[in-house]
Amino acid sequence: MCWSYNRQYGTRFLAVMPTNLYGPGDNYHPENSHVIPALIRRFHEAKMHHAPKVTIWGTGAPLREFLYSDDMADACVYLMNLSDARFVPLLAADRNHGVPPVINVGSGEEISIAALAGFIRDLVAYSGEIAFDRSRPDGTPRKLMCSARLAELGWKAVTPLCRGLETTYRAYS
């Protein structure tokens, strides 16, 4: 779509594609939240109700990449402030020339669902057990995007997962 708008209307649109985002103000709904806010809520509620265990779907083996919301905002501002000499080549003239006008934004780091759950359990100070329901699906085994184009431009995420999760949990609780 960006290719078409840029060609037809002379715009300079660049689609920014984030990996899994998390941070303060996230959606903690019990039925339609993403993995980090869902785990934060479940471990927090288990702690408050003295539940003996929290059950997580699947084996815990899948790997995921996460990006703190402030880092995503910083990446967008970084891209908007690029000089024309650095920004215009990201747009590509049309589908026959160059890569699409899309740039991935990620942390470049991945963590297993099991390790993430363990970290959040410790962060919340929940002392119960983590159980894995292996009868439930794991989903895609690995979701790590390539953010090399953005790294080549000089940007990288600065918020370590542990610090971002701490800030997110403080805002939740």
Side-chain angles (χ1 to χ4, degrees):
M1 186 174 198
C2 288
W3 260 323
S4 296
Y5 276 119
N6 292 348
R7 190 173 50 248
Q8 185 172 354
Y9 299 110
T11 56
R12 295 176 2 148
F13 294 157
L14 176 69
V16 179
M17 178 60 65
T19 190
N20 297 297
L21 298 174
Y22 72 97
D26 213 329
N27 171 18
Y28 296 92
H29 192 276
E31 296 173 23
N32 62 18
S33 59
H34 291 150
V35 65
I36 286 179
L39 289 173
I40 286 174
R41 179 184 176 132
R42 291 175 71 199
F43 281 112
H44 180 80
E45 288 179 353
K47 176 184 170 182
M48 295 295 106
H49 295 103
H50 307 286
K53 71 179 176 181
V54 170
T55 302
I56 297 171
W57 280 22
T59 65
L63 300 171
R64 296 293 181 265
E65 176 183 20
F66 298 99
L67 182 69
Y68 188 61
S69 56
D70 283 358
D71 285 341
M72 177 62 189
D74 183 66
C76 290
V77 170
Y78 185 87
L79 287 165
M80 288 186 286
N81 285 319
L82 286 176
S83 67
D84 283 354
R86 297 179 75 206
F87 183 79
V88 172
L90 298 174
L91 303 179
D94 60 45
R95 292 181 187 198
N96 298 320
H97 299 93
V99 295
V102 175
I103 194 154
N104 293 335
V105 182
S107 65
E109 298 177 8
E110 56 190 350
I111 185 171
S112 72
I113 296 299
L116 176 68
F119 185 84
I120 292 174
R121 175 189 57 192
D122 295 346
L123 175 66
V124 170
Y126 169 69
S127 58
E129 172 190 349
I130 299 174
F132 294 94
D133 183 352
R134 295 173 183 269
S135 71
R136 299 296 193 156
D138 264 341
T140 305
R142 186 177 188 209
K143 290 186 180 178
L144 177 67
M145 64 180 6
C146 178
S147 300
R149 289 177 73 199
L150 188 53
E152 289 168 7
L153 291 168
W155 186 90
K156 69 176 225 165
V158 296
T159 307
L161 183 63
C162 59
R163 190 173 75 219
L165 289 174
E166 290 166 359
T167 303
T168 302
Y169 181 61
R170 272 196 312 274
Y172 173 77
S173 61

